[in-house]
Amino acid sequence: MAMHAPDAVAAPPLATAPAVPLSLADRLLMLRDRLYASRAFHRFASTYAPWRWITRVRSRQVFDLVGGFVYTQIITTCFAVDLFRLLDGGPQDEATIARHTGLGDEGTRRLLRAAASLRLVSTRSRGRWGLGPLGGPLVHDRALARMVAHNQHFYRDLADPSAILRKARGETELSRFWSYGAAERPHEIDPLTAAEFSGIMADTIPPLAEDVLDHYDMGRHRVLMDVGGGEGLFLAAAARRHPTLRVQLFDLPAVVARAQARFEREGLADRAQVHGGDFHRDALPTGADVITLVRVLLDHGDDRAQALVRAAKAALPPGGTLLVAEPFAGQRNTGPLADAYFGLYLWAMGQGRARTETEHRGMLEAAGFTRIRRLPTRTPLWTDLLVAYNDD
């Protein structure tokens, strides 16, 4: 059956660009593109043994791009029917799984086979099913589970992504969810709203915090201030690891109230201090010799991000340190996370963008920071890390 592009995504007339001389590299790449698009070349490559594996891999990669949304919805369904937690207790037969999920015999069978193709589940002895190599980590990973659930807001915006990209940033599902970021008086946000958005961030912080603290020694500092630190998960992790370190949190008043309760529950209240305010309007408190911006800059446009970096420098003493921890754009080792996922996510959210390492360095240098260096992390998919010093 022939497939046709829907009218909603029909291509507009081709725009003509001014004639520009092509380099040798441009001509070679154009030749490559024509070869990849040629059916005759595909037929030849698929029958020529040395190239056969390349065509198969490329075909699979292309189809994975086309089927990607379906794959994510299979994962979403597995979470929705609590399949991973059921199989975490041991292999189960299809009848037991069907009763647990409520999908019926055939629906359960289809889901299991789809999940098995993604290595989320796998067959076991006597016709039973267990967790697969990619499903096992999802059972106890709260960050990924929360991301899967939260992405449903994003997917509703992506029903017509070209419409979102074609117009100036306006009201979307994500912009309504993250409305505190564009609120006229964010310091007056109610506790229930604060609990909703800070809870999502709290579930995704622990693996990131562990990675950052493993690669930068906070024990060399006296006072750490985390700006935009939500419920204080990063600070709590740093304080537990370094018993003499004092910590400060700066965030919206409704958010820092939740952090204060966390510090008290964890026995850290005597070393923790919270400051409620709006870093777009208020000066940052002084007294810390190291400030962290953990996944904060990418949530803001260039002007606000630059202003925040300047505010951090103003709050640091001479010799003070700034750490920027967030995924960088343009990195081969992180795949399409920053440029594809965060690129569209932040656009739909209504503010912010992922930046390259060069762009981050430019902001830090413009604010007056020196001796900027990048530290390696275990999982750049979650975060990269830049360290900068206030040598004034």
Side-chain angles (χ1 to χ4, degrees), residues 336-357:
L337 179 69
D339 294 293
Y341 179 84
F342 279 122
L344 288 184
Y345 183 98
L346 293 169
W347 184 265
M349 191 175 82
Q351 58 183 7
R353 69 183 182 92
R355 298 175 177 85
T356 64
E357 179 184 348

Side-chain angles (χ1 to χ4, degrees), residues 145-264:
R146 180 66 81 115
M147 182 180 292
V148 168
H150 172 69
N151 273 348
Q152 297 306 305
H153 296 282
F154 187 23
Y155 297 156
R156 284 189 278 273
D157 288 331
L158 290 181
D160 189 0
S162 59
I164 295 176
L165 293 170
R166 193 174 292 120
K167 63 184 180 182
R169 298 184 180 187
E171 185 172 327
T172 62
E173 180 89 11
L174 278 181
S175 68
R176 287 191 292 271
F177 183 86
W178 296 112
S179 58
Y180 76 95
E184 288 296 321
R185 297 181 176 84
H187 57 286
E188 296 179 3
I189 289 174
D190 65 272
L192 288 178
T193 302
E196 188 173 16
F197 66 71
S198 63
I200 290 177
M201 300 306 294
D203 281 338
T204 61
I205 284 294
L208 183 154
E210 184 178 86
D211 204 351
V212 171
L213 296 173
D214 283 348
H215 290 87
Y216 183 85
D217 180 16
M218 288 290 178
R220 71 185 71 179
H221 297 287
R222 296 178 298 101
V223 182
L224 160 64
M225 179 166 66
D226 192 24
V227 178
E231 294 189 8
L233 267 293
F234 181 81
L235 289 177
R240 287 193 300 269
R241 185 173 296 206
H242 303 287
T244 63
L245 181 69
R246 302 185 65 82
V247 297
Q248 298 179 349
L249 175 69
F250 186 91
D251 210 320
L252 300 174
V255 178
V256 299
R258 296 176 61 81
Q260 182 65 53
R262 176 179 295 279
F263 294 144
E264 292 173 358

Side-chain angles (χ1 to χ4, degrees), residues 87 235 283 372:
L87 298 182
L235 289 177
I372 303 165

